[in-house]
Amino acid sequence: MLQDPILLIGGSGIVGRWTARFLRATHPDAALLIGGRDLARAEEAAAEIGNAEAVKIDLAAADLGLGERRVSAIAIFFTDTTTAALRFAQARGVPYISISPAIHETGPDVAAYMHTPDAAPVVLGTEWLVGATTIPTLTFAKAFGRIDDIRLGALLDEQDEGGPAAFADLERQTQAVPAVLARRDGAWCWRTGDDAKAEFHAADGTPMAATALSPHDIVGLATVTGAPNVAFNLAIGESSSRRRGEPMSTEILIELAGEDPAGQPLRTRHAVTHPEGQMPPTGLGVALLLERLTGLDGDPTPPAGLYFPYQLLDSQRYFERFEQAGGEISALEAP
């Protein structure tokens, strides 16, 4: 059991509460600090979670308002434009994960890491649903000898619940950013205007109008697989489950094309779904990362390194926990 608590900054939000629930379910004795700018809301969340304490966070203070209070790791669930939480983690030598900064916003975090690379492990966690896209994609990629195309589609149901921080992140990344990163014919490019419009088929085959998005999955998957074409598109609308008359769900569509190890053409299509929407998989990914970083699931991560989530999470363990949490990963008919 950890002596020092895990600090969840923004832990009273929807994703933070899911993260705390998953940690509590697996590690009932792990101490948690629910940090927030609204102490009353943090106290409410802490009481709901159990074995947790609420603390008021001040991002304008070098010690975040915690004084000499010790922590074992920090996860932050909204965009910290001051990098105060990261600097605090480095000063205390504890692991840090953020899940909000987009590709064009990671410069401050990367610079902070580069200047003190041995201070603490830093996780750039802004993958789509924190591992729910990259880990399955890399697993399916093992069937290929060469991958030419990776096409990722995320479908958010209109009824999917999201907190104000999640809404602000999505709005910033889909409306405020004039160009979206992709890889095309081996070169990095920016999709703008009509080029940023797209369409993909939902799990039930329904065509969905979509818009380009560039979470960290784009750069990570292109780097690992060497695929010359990688694109990510987001659709917001009716999910396949709701069209069947069931409650809404969230969907990730993963399409790979290339050759098998024998040089024969190969195309695969899979769906990653969760019946409770986007927030449980996101919270699960953060919880698994905190377990890995702190050593709750074994040896702690060494005190150095800049990581994407898929670099730290074991795929078999991820799949087991994802299914336990109600998620489903299924093969679909290739287009």
Side-chain angles (χ1 to χ4, degrees):
M1 183 180 73
L2 292 171
Q3 292 184 345
D4 300 324
I6 294 172
L7 173 60
L8 305 178
I9 301 178
S12 61
I14 298 175
V15 178
R17 290 181 191 231
W18 274 109
T19 297
R21 289 183 198 124
F22 285 121
L23 286 171
R24 179 62 64 245
T26 310
H27 308 282
D29 296 327
L32 302 176
L33 285 181
I34 308 302
R37 292 164 289 194
D38 183 338
L39 183 59
R41 191 160 181 254
E43 289 174 337
E44 177 189 339
E48 172 191 309
I49 294 159
N51 192 22
E53 180 184 344
V55 290
K56 186 175 178 62
I57 296 297
D58 180 6
L59 294 177
D63 64 359
L64 302 184
L66 298 176
E68 297 302 314
R69 185 69 182 267
R70 292 172 58 88
V71 300
S72 61
I74 297 172
I76 185 166
F77 298 94
F78 55 85
T79 299
D80 174 13
T81 57
T82 68
T83 64
L86 173 54
R87 285 184 279 112
F88 175 86
Q90 291 178 311
R92 300 292 178 95
V94 298
Y96 170 88
I97 173 175
S98 63
I99 64 168
S100 293
I103 282 178
H104 65 285
E105 298 171 317
T106 58
D109 285 1
V110 173
Y113 168 78
M114 290 172 68
H115 281 274
T116 53
D118 297 326
V122 175
V123 183
L124 303 178
T126 317
E127 295 178 2
W128 189 254
L129 308 193
V130 192
T133 304
T134 50
I135 294 173
T137 300
L138 290 172
T139 299
F140 306 146
K142 293 177 181 178
F144 288 77
R146 189 191 77 218
I147 296 179
D148 297 322
D149 295 278
I150 298 177
R151 295 183 59 84
L152 305 171
L155 172 54
L156 286 184
D157 195 286
E158 297 158 320
Q159 297 181 358
D160 202 341
E161 182 182 29
F167 178 79
D169 285 340
L170 189 61
E171 185 177 45
R172 188 179 71 253
Q173 295 186 38
T174 57
Q175 297 181 26
V177 180
V180 173
L181 189 65
R183 187 167 170 85
R184 186 174 294 156
D185 296 327
W188 294 104
C189 65
W190 293 97
R191 298 169 63 184
T192 60
D194 289 342
D195 189 31
K197 298 177 182 178
E199 181 182 275
F200 65 82
H201 291 82
D204 66 355
T206 301
M208 304 294 301
T211 303
L213 193 70
S214 52
H216 295 165
D217 310 67
I218 291 284
V219 291
L221 292 173
T223 301
V224 174
T225 66
N229 299 288
V230 183
F232 190 111
N233 298 300
L234 170 68
I236 300 176
E238 188 177 38
S239 57
S240 300
S241 60
R242 198 150 61 90
R243 276 191 290 272
R244 295 193 298 267
E246 302 169 5
M248 70 88 194
S249 61
T250 195
E251 303 178 21
I252 302 168
L253 290 307
I254 300 170
E255 297 184 12
L256 306 179
E259 294 182 351
D260 67 16
Q264 298 301 308
L266 178 63
R267 296 175 68 89
T268 63
R269 186 168 187 259
H270 291 82
V272 179
T273 60
H274 197 286
E276 294 181 83
Q278 61 177 316
M279 296 304 177
T282 304
L284 175 64
V286 178
L288 289 172
L289 285 165
L290 288 168
E291 292 177 7
R292 182 80 296 280
L293 289 165
T294 59
L296 279 172
D297 65 351
D299 294 329
T301 302
L306 181 66
Y307 303 98
F308 289 130
Y310 66 83
Q311 293 178 285
L312 294 175
L313 299 180
D314 174 75
S315 59
Q316 182 176 349
R317 180 177 175 80
Y318 181 86
F319 290 147
E320 290 173 354
R321 293 284 293 276
F322 185 76
E323 291 176 0
Q324 289 172 6
E328 181 179 353
I329 300 174
S330 55
L332 303 175
E333 183 178 350

